[in-house]
Amino acid sequence: MINREDMLELTRRMNLQRNCFVRIAGRYCDSEGYEDGSFNTSFLKLSQHEKNVNLAIAKAIPFAKTNEELKEYRINSGEPEAKQMRQLLEGLRECGLKNDAMLEILYDIVGEKYLAWKNERDENGLSGDFGIYVFYGVYDIKIKAADHEYMDDSEEVYDFLICAVCPVHGDYEAGEPECGFLYPSFKDRSSDLEHIAVYKRL
């Protein structure tokens, strides 16, 4: 089960004043999943408007309805597909999204699963154009004293990925995320490498 307080603690680091994101990458796709463009840049290089838009996209995943829209799943490393996915996510964490080849693999996997989910969920068939947004964040977890005040010393550095899939319109304007994930899970104010938090809009 996901602790709502853990997710709220994360989202408090997702604003212009206390931004925890280092890099953002993504791919734009047409309704059939074919690439229509991609990007990969430092989060700090975005304009203030772009930062606000993308912070809202990323924040929507951990801020979703806990244990309803956002659910935790154990990564079964014994299964080949799960093992490969975990290796991919760990690789992207370690390089901080600076490996375009690994990102291409992630986009292909996420895009395929998104289209399958949309086609199963919606009666209209294929979805419209969509974007896959991937964020790399680093949160320096401060020690929390008995009175719940944060101390200056760090307890742990939590580096993580957030992926969000959004419908896009016009000049690549993103709508609200429809699905995505947070990896690794953030549990008891610490990294939980055995779990991934998956978001699906109800």
Side-chain angles (χ1 to χ4, degrees):
M1 296 287 285
I2 298 173
N3 185 326
R4 181 69 176 170
E5 288 305 312
D6 284 336
M7 296 300 99
L8 292 177
E9 180 172 346
L10 267 189
T11 60
R12 285 193 286 270
R13 270 68 190 173
M14 298 178 186
N15 56 58
L16 290 177
Q17 290 71 38
R18 294 191 288 180
N19 169 46
C20 63
F21 292 114
V22 178
R23 199 162 191 85
I24 177 174
R27 174 194 280 181
Y28 299 113
C29 303
D30 65 16
S31 61
E32 295 182 332
Y34 293 106
E35 182 176 348
D36 193 28
S38 63
F39 60 92
N40 188 343
T41 188
S42 165
F43 200 87
L44 294 177
K45 289 184 178 179
L46 300 177
S47 68
Q48 182 163 324
H49 172 71
E50 291 170 330
K51 286 177 183 175
N52 275 322
V53 169
N54 285 291
L55 283 167
I57 292 172
K59 190 174 182 176
I61 305 303
F63 197 66
K65 295 178 182 176
T66 310
N67 301 308
E68 295 180 39
E69 292 181 318
L70 185 69
K71 296 183 179 181
E72 188 176 78
Y73 296 90
R74 177 177 289 278
I75 300 175
N76 187 353
S77 297
E79 297 178 358
E81 185 178 355
K83 183 178 180 180
Q84 291 171 2
M85 188 63 178
R86 181 170 177 176
Q87 289 174 339
L88 176 62
L89 295 176
E90 280 299 309
L92 286 168
R93 269 210 319 155
E94 289 173 9
C95 73
L97 300 185
K98 292 182 179 179
N99 187 312
D100 286 327
M102 286 195 291
L103 281 166
E104 291 295 323
I105 295 171
L106 180 66
Y107 299 147
D108 288 344
I109 294 171
V110 171
E112 181 180 342
K113 292 190 178 296
Y114 170 72
L115 287 176
W117 173 68
K118 282 288 286 184
N119 292 337
E120 181 180 320
R121 170 189 170 115
D122 298 341
E123 296 179 356
N124 325 355
L126 289 174
S127 67
D129 297 349
F130 62 95
I132 302 170
Y133 301 81
V134 186
F135 302 82
Y136 171 65
V138 178
Y139 172 33
D140 191 10
I141 305 170
K142 301 297 183 183
I143 295 174
K144 188 184 285 189
D147 60 0
H148 300 292
E149 291 295 321
Y150 292 104
M151 302 172 68
D152 290 335
D153 295 332
S154 297
E155 192 165 16
E156 178 186 340
V157 175
Y158 170 64
D159 60 319
F160 62 97
L161 304 174
I162 285 181
C163 177
V165 185
C166 307
V168 294
H169 313 281
D171 190 19
Y172 300 125
E173 295 179 17
E176 293 183 7
E178 295 190 314
C179 60
F181 64 79
L182 165 69
Y183 175 83
S185 284
F186 187 59
K187 183 178 289 187
D188 298 327
R189 309 189 71 242
S190 181
S191 303
D192 180 3
L193 296 173
E194 300 299 318
H195 291 87
I196 184 170
V198 177
Y199 166 73
K200 292 180 182 178
R201 191 172 71 184
L202 295 176

